[in-house]
Amino acid sequence: MKKQINHWVKLMLTACLAVTLFSACASNSSNPSGKDDKSSPDTSGDKPVSISIITEFNTPEAPGPDNPVLKEFEKKTNTKLNIMWTSPNSYGDKINLILASGEMPDLVKVLDFNNALMRQMIKQGAFWDLSPYLKDYPHLMEYPEATWEKTKIDGKNYVIPSVRPSHGGPWLPIIRQDWLEKLNLEIPRTLDDLFNVMKAFAEQDPDGNGVADTIPLLPRNDLGWAEGVLNHSNGKWKETGGKLIDTTFEPGTREALVWLNKVFAAGYMPADYAIMKETQSEDLAKAGKVGIYPNTIEAIWRVQAELIKTEPQANFLPLSYLESDAGTYAPSSPGFSGVFLIPKSVPEDKMKRILALMDYGASEEGFTLACFGIEGVHYTVGEDGFKTATEQAFKDSVSQSSFGKVFERSDPYLWAYRTGMPKELFERNKQIVDERTSHSVDDPSVGLISDTWLKIGPDYTKKMNDLKTKIIMGQESIEAWDRYIETLKADANYMKVIDEMNAAYAARKG
C-alpha cells in the first residue's frame, strides 16, 4: 500500500505547484432547519476522549490551546481537542504529505474532493465508511440530502461534507463602491463594463492621493470567473443537450484569455499576480490600493474591517452577477467546501465519539459557539436578536474562519456574515445572496469522477494553467492556445476523460 500511496503523492505534489486559474460560518439568522435543537448523544459519563484534527484557518492568528471556545467545546462534548491549524497558503501540500505518511490525525480535512491520493486511499480501505452510522447523528442528518449524495464515493459516505450554502460563496468580483460613486460610475454588468471601471480606477485617482498607485484588479490567482461569464458555465464542465461538455474547448475560454491579456497588458493587475500568496494579496487590499478584489461575500469584511480604520468611507460591494451574450452568471456552490475523513486506524468507539463531536458542532448551540463564541464574553445580543461581536472575539480568533471551519451547520446565509460585521451590511449581503440565487449557474460535474483524470489530471491541469498564465501575461500568443486545443483533441487519454465523465453523468441521471 505504501508504494502505491507514494506514487500518488508524487502526482499530487506536482499538482499543488500549479497556478490554479479555475478555482464561513453562522449568520445572525434563526435556526434555518425549523426543527427543535435536540442534544447530541450523551457522553457525559465517559472518560474524555482525545481527538486530533487538522483544518485550515483564515483568521489573523490561529486559536491557541487554551482558547475559551475550545475549552467550552471540550466541556460540552467531553473531549480533549488537539486542532492542528494550518495556513491556507500551504494546506494542500501539507495534507498530501500527511496522507502519504499514513500518520494521520483522528479527523482529516481535505479541501479538494477530487484529491487523487485521498480517493486512492479510500479504495484501499484507509478510511471509515460512515454510511451505517450517520443516521444516529440527527444534526449531521440535517445537512441537505443533496450534499450527502454529492459527496458519496462508490455509493458510500466515507466523508462528512464541510457543509456550505448553495449560493453566495463562489468568487465574483467585489468592487470599491465608494470609488464607483466618487467617479460617477455605474455598477459593471459585463466584462467590457468591468474593463472600463478598471481604466477609470487606474487613471482618475479614486483614492485621492494624487499618485497613480491604485491596483484596479487584484485577482488572487483565480480568474475562472471570467471564463464562467463567457461560457455560462461553473467550472470545467457544462451540460449541453444532455451531455457534459469540457469548457476547455469552448470559445468563451479563448475569449476570456484574450480579455485577461488585455487587462494585464494595460497594467490593471499586478505583474506578479500568478505567484502571490493569499495573505500577500489580502494585505494589498487592506492597504486601500485595490479597486476590484474577487472573493467571497463574507470574506471581504476581513479586508474592509481593517481598511475602515483609516478610510471610514471604504465600502466593498460584492457583485450580484455578471452577464454576457450567453446569459447572466453567478456561480453556485456544490453545497460543501472540503470534506472530513476518519482514518480506519481510529477504533470504532472513538470514531463514534468523533461523529458525536461533529454532530454537536452541527447543532444550533454548537454552531453558535463555533462562530460567535460565548455570550457575554465574545458577543452581545440586541433586542432584535442580532449578535454583535466584542473585542474579545477578535482576541480569541472566534470566527467562521477558525472554529467555523470545523463545526458547521446548514444555513443559507452562511456566507453573508463575518465576525464584527454590522447588521446593515449583513442585511445587504443577504439581499445579494438572494439576487445571486436567481442568476445561479450550477456545476453539473460535482461528485462525478473519471478514473483516467485522477491519474493524469494533475499533469494536464498544470500544463493547462501554466499556458493560460503565459498567455495572460503576454509570454505566449493566443494562437498557442489554439495549437494546444488541437493536441488535446488528438489525445486519446484526454478524450477518454470526457467519455468517462459522460458515462458517470448518464449513470447518475439513470
Side-chain angles (χ1 to χ4, degrees), residues 52-57 82-86 91 94 98 105:
S52 57
I53 303 168
I54 183 166
T55 186
E56 86 280 27
F57 71 99
N82 175 22
I83 302 180
M84 302 163 60
W85 302 102
T86 305
Y91 197 78
K94 185 160 187 175
I98 286 176

Side-chain angles (χ1 to χ4, degrees), residues 55-67 83-87 394-398 401-403:
T55 186
E56 86 280 27
F57 71 99
N58 288 97
T59 47
E61 299 290 337
D66 295 324
N67 187 283
I83 302 180
M84 302 163 60
W85 302 102
T86 305
S87 167
F394 297 97
K395 292 178 181 178
D396 289 336
S397 296
V398 180
S401 295
S402 57
F403 292 106

Side-chain angles (χ1 to χ4, degrees), residues 123-172:
K123 288 185 177 180
Q124 294 171 345
F127 298 102
W128 276 96
D129 172 13
L130 305 175
S131 308
Y133 305 94
L134 290 171
K135 65 181 184 300
D136 296 328
Y137 302 92
H139 300 302
L140 291 177
M141 287 293 90
E142 289 171 0
Y143 288 2
E145 184 178 353
T147 303
W148 283 112
E149 285 297 318
K150 288 177 182 177
T151 53
K152 282 184 176 179
I153 298 175
D154 295 330
K156 297 179 180 179
N157 293 113
Y158 291 96
V159 307
I160 302 170
S162 178
V163 67
R164 291 293 184 265
S166 296
H167 305 285
W171 290 2
L172 275 178

Side-chain angles (χ1 to χ4, degrees), residues 405-468:
K405 294 288 188 179
V406 181
F407 306 112
E408 305 159 347
R409 183 173 175 82
S410 182
D411 184 330
Y413 297 116
L414 190 71
W415 275 316
Y417 180 82
R418 185 173 284 270
T419 303
M421 182 182 289
K423 183 179 181 182
E424 59 270 20
L425 199 58
F426 172 54
E427 294 298 331
R428 182 206 69 177
N429 287 348
K430 289 201 299 184
Q431 290 180 3
I432 293 172
V433 170
D434 292 340
E435 289 171 6
R436 287 189 178 186
T437 302
S438 62
H439 300 283
S440 178
V441 177
D442 295 331
D443 179 357
S445 72
V446 175
L448 302 181
I449 285 296
S450 157
D451 288 334
T452 300
W453 187 249
L454 286 179
K455 297 173 184 176
I456 70 173
D459 185 50
Y460 279 74
T461 299
K462 183 180 188 309
K463 288 179 180 177
M464 191 178 299
N465 288 339
D466 284 350
L467 179 57
K468 287 182 177 181

